[in-house]
Amino acid sequence: AKNAGKNVYRFFEEAMQEDIIEKLSMERSLREAMGKDELQLHFQPIVSLSTGEIGGYEALLRWHNLQRGMVSPGRFIPLMEESGLIVPIGAWVMRTACAFARKLMDRGCLDSYVAVNVSVKQLINGDFVSMVKAALAEAGVPPTALELEITETILMDSEFFDDNVAKLRELKATGVRIALDDFGTGYSSLTYLKQLPIDIVKIDKSFVDDLAAGGKNKLIMGSIIALAHNLGLTVVAEGVETEAQRDLLREFQCDFIQGYIISRPAPAAEMLEFNTV
Ligand code: C2E
Ligand code: CA
Ligand code: CA
Ligand code: CA
């Protein structure tokens, strides 16, 4: 039995080593991805439930590697964060998203915005505020054309809470909007929300999925939306796939929806084509 235990241990040790080797190899590929043009930004529309018009687009990073094929953000974003690559790649995302906002404006969509996901590693970087301002200036778009999406873990997990909030406040003061992403999956409380400089809450897909199950789920969704509205926040529901979900969200006076029912994320050129003003 003792030997068996040893073998099991050795097995796990080897599996762990393979895991580490694979991570290192993927990190190396990621490091080269930018230079090789393997990264692309896709955009997904966010649509008003009252007017049916597109309010803005969320920018979502895609990585297509020759050997690996499409790698999901759920796998490569954490690696980018661990390795610090999120800082230069995040800056590229910001510039590319702002350039897309410029193209929207050139097509007459003067009120559209682009929503960009921001990781904590980027936010605590000393240059974050100037990086964002430079990306806006370079593209020639006003700060109101940009929304930053942050998760509450960004703020909770970090010893830099006050610094992070100060940076978001500084950008918000220029007109950049701030969205709290994945709302409901963390520890959000009423009082906590009030402390943050946010304009928008994005209700996580898991709550939208639960709507179909009925029971208390509708009550919860209705309460979250009412609560956010009472705090003066705009509400976006994520991952809306069915008409039933959309109709319920409209009933609860959710402001915007995003999801496959409208469109999957797609390259900029496709989105611009799709856009009619
Ligand atoms: P997220 O910010 O919560 O983004 C929403 C995710 O839901 C996206 O997954 C989107 O493709 C997916 N989605 C949208 N509508 C639907 C729907 O109707 N059904 C289903 N099943 N899924 C839907 P994606 O693109 O795989 O991105 C995953 C996560 O990776 C994002 O979650 C975000 O946290 C992160 N991410 C993506 N791009 C970036 C980036 O440029 N920077 C950073 N820091 N994180 C990023
Ligand atoms: Ca997001
Ligand atoms: Ca989200
Ligand atoms: Ca998410």
Side-chain angles (χ1 to χ4, degrees):
K2 228 180 180 179
N3 263 336
K6 221 174 188 176
N7 284 336
V8 168
Y9 176 74
R10 188 163 294 150
F11 172 77
F12 278 120
E13 199 179 41
E14 272 168 24
M16 260 168 67
Q17 253 169 24
E18 271 168 35
D19 211 51
I20 290 167
I21 289 166
E22 164 58 13
K23 260 173 72 173
L24 284 174
S25 146
M26 195 184 269
E27 193 183 310
R28 196 176 324 112
S29 308
L30 254 185
R31 222 171 264 286
E32 299 165 353
M34 252 204 317
K36 284 187 181 165
D37 256 2
E38 293 181 350
L39 295 175
Q40 211 192 359
L41 214 48
H42 281 195
F43 297 90
Q44 187 179 34
I46 300 166
V47 167
S48 161
L49 274 177
S50 52
T51 68
E53 279 169 21
I54 298 176
Y57 298 82
E58 179 171 4
L60 293 158
L61 192 55
R62 295 291 177 261
W63 179 29
H64 185 266
N65 178 260
L66 215 55
Q67 286 82 40
R68 300 164 201 279
M70 285 297 291
V71 186
S72 88
R75 287 190 73 201
F76 71 77
I77 299 276
L79 263 184
M80 281 175 23
E81 287 169 344
E82 278 170 44
S83 61
L85 280 169
I86 193 78
V87 173
I89 293 177
W92 175 83
V93 167
M94 196 65 69
R95 287 196 304 274
T96 309
C98 289
F100 178 70
R102 177 72 251 171
K103 287 195 179 134
L104 287 172
M105 289 184 71
D106 292 345
R107 277 167 173 71
C109 314
L110 297 179
D111 305 320
S112 283
Y113 63 89
V114 179
V116 178
N117 292 288
V118 175
S119 296
V120 67
K121 270 274 175 65
Q122 292 175 270
L123 197 57
I124 62 179
N125 189 285
D127 287 336
F128 182 75
V129 173
S130 48
M131 180 276 283
V132 173
K133 287 181 178 170
L136 287 166
E138 188 191 307
V141 289
T144 47
L146 180 66
E147 179 189 307
L148 301 178
E149 298 200 348
I150 55 154
T151 59
E152 51 188 316
T153 43
I154 254 194
L155 298 162
M156 300 284 287
D157 284 358
S158 140
E159 54 186 294
F160 304 96
F161 181 86
D162 291 340
D163 280 352
N164 289 344
V165 170
K167 286 178 187 179
L168 295 175
R169 266 188 216 292
E170 184 180 347
L171 286 168
K172 185 176 150 85
T174 70
V176 172
R177 271 165 305 171
I178 317 287
L180 189 63
D181 206 350
D182 299 347
F183 182 76
T185 58
Y187 305 94
S188 348
S189 74
L190 224 168
T191 45
Y192 177 62
L193 272 184
K194 258 181 14 188
Q195 287 173 17
L196 300 176
I198 55 172
D199 308 280
I200 298 149
V201 285
K202 297 193 76 173
I203 300 181
D204 193 66
K205 181 178 190 309
S206 55
F207 287 92
V208 175
D209 290 341
D210 286 348
L211 279 176
K216 293 224 169 92
N217 292 307
K218 287 192 205 169
L219 202 72
I220 293 171
M221 179 63 87
S223 310
I224 293 176
I225 294 173
L227 167 76
H229 282 161
N230 283 334
L231 290 168
L233 303 169
T234 298
V235 181
V236 180
E238 296 187 299
V240 181
E241 293 179 346
T242 69
E243 286 176 14
Q245 291 169 339
R246 184 201 53 201
D247 293 347
L248 275 171
L249 287 162
R250 185 179 280 131
E251 206 176 290
F252 293 135
Q253 275 155 39
C254 177
D255 303 292
F256 291 90
I257 58 167
Q258 180 182 352
Y260 295 171
I261 190 176
I262 310 285
S263 165
R264 290 186 179 248
E270 260 173 65
M271 277 303 146
L272 289 169
E273 201 181 311
F274 177 65
N275 204 282
T276 49
V277 166

